[in-house]
Amino acid sequence: MKFIIVCLQVLFSVLISFPTTNLNASQSLTAQIEIPYQDSLIRGDVPVFGKAYGKDFKEFILDYGQEKDPKDWTLINKSDIAQSEYKPSVGVDITAFGKTIDGNLGTWDTGLDEYKYGKHPVNLAGIYTLRLRVLDSRGNVAEDKIPVEIGRVILNSIGGKAESQDGLANFKVKEHSLYTSAILVSLKALDKNPFPQAGLKPESKVYELREPGEKFTQPVTLTIKYDKNIDPS
């Protein structure tokens, strides 16, 4: 039995979700990531906004790692200039189509190979954790971490697809199937079946397709592979 949560969204980069929690190790230091929001679906050059300051401030370090509990971290930006505020209307600027802005903490290049122009040294996909650390001259550290998801852009002019990281599910859209110029999607396997039913056994992994509410001008295709020995009836 196959269970699917279907969802899709139109924005290119940072999407709205829920505010993050500030995890400070020292009351005299502030480390807070405010944009992107926790569990945002993102892609491309992602501006990171927040606060990094405090008494005896020395520097802040912004980096990322794969999955929700990374073992390794990759540097995005490091600075000895404190950041205590940013333009309050930046959330509106980010969602403006085609507008390019840089974050006050740094700009995270997550990749964008769906386009034939521009250079991106990475091509990330899946769940990642964004981390901000603020250090003072006495060795104290304040830290904030949020999980986000890096999706795939599908263009209306040429179509495209999103594939799960395990390679067992994919979502395909034909050209000229969108009501907008592009959408941002992700397809991932879930750890737990959110819709268990008595007497039925899932014969594939359970997948979530983000974001909700997307509509199409012609049929799209969602494919999930399962064990070939299963009786299709």
Side-chain angles (χ1 to χ4, degrees), residues 27-221:
Q27 294 298 321
S28 64
L29 295 173
T30 295
Q32 185 169 357
I33 300 170
E34 298 193 4
I35 296 177
Y37 304 130
Q38 181 172 308
D39 297 321
S40 292
L41 184 57
I42 61 176
R43 184 68 169 148
D45 293 322
V46 181
V48 181
F49 287 87
K51 297 176 181 179
Y53 67 95
K55 184 179 180 181
D56 299 321
F57 173 86
K58 180 182 178 181
E59 64 180 356
F60 73 81
I61 302 172
L62 182 68
D63 51 15
Y64 71 90
Q66 193 167 9
E67 301 297 341
K68 290 188 176 182
D69 187 21
K71 300 298 185 293
D72 301 301
W73 298 90
T74 301
L75 181 67
I76 298 173
N77 188 36
K78 182 177 182 180
S79 175
D80 58 5
I81 301 175
Q83 300 292 327
S84 60
E85 60 182 4
Y86 59 88
K87 186 179 177 183
S89 63
V90 69
V92 176
D93 293 338
I94 289 175
T95 56
F97 180 81
K99 188 167 185 176
T100 300
I101 59 176
D102 294 322
N104 73 324
L105 298 178
T107 302
W108 181 18
D109 185 356
T110 66
L112 195 62
D113 65 343
E114 295 89 341
Y115 289 90
K116 303 302 180 183
Y117 61 87
K119 295 181 179 179
H120 292 266
V122 297
N123 187 32
L124 308 180
I127 303 297
Y128 285 80
T129 296
L130 193 58
R131 180 177 70 172
L132 172 64
R133 288 174 292 162
V134 179
L135 295 75
D136 67 16
S137 57
R138 296 174 294 170
N140 294 316
V141 180
E143 181 181 280
D144 193 15
K145 295 192 292 186
I146 63 166
V148 295
E149 185 174 1
I150 301 174
R152 282 289 177 267
V153 172
I154 294 179
L155 302 174
N156 186 48
S157 58
I158 61 175
K161 71 175 183 178
E163 187 174 68
S164 61
Q165 286 189 294
D166 60 14
L168 298 178
N170 65 73
F171 174 72
K172 294 182 179 180
V173 179
K174 296 178 181 178
E175 60 183 20
H176 306 304
S177 296
L178 308 179
Y179 286 96
T180 60
S181 59
I183 58 173
L184 180 59
V185 303
S186 80
L187 183 62
K188 67 177 180 181
L190 299 180
D191 296 329
K192 184 179 180 181
N193 177 11
F195 305 112
Q197 297 184 49
L200 296 180
K201 175 186 176 183
E203 296 294 357
S204 77
K205 292 183 179 180
V206 181
Y207 294 88
E208 180 183 54
L209 183 60
R210 295 180 65 184
E211 288 282 347
E214 189 58 62
K215 297 180 180 180
F216 304 92
T217 63
Q218 56 181 325
V220 296
T221 303

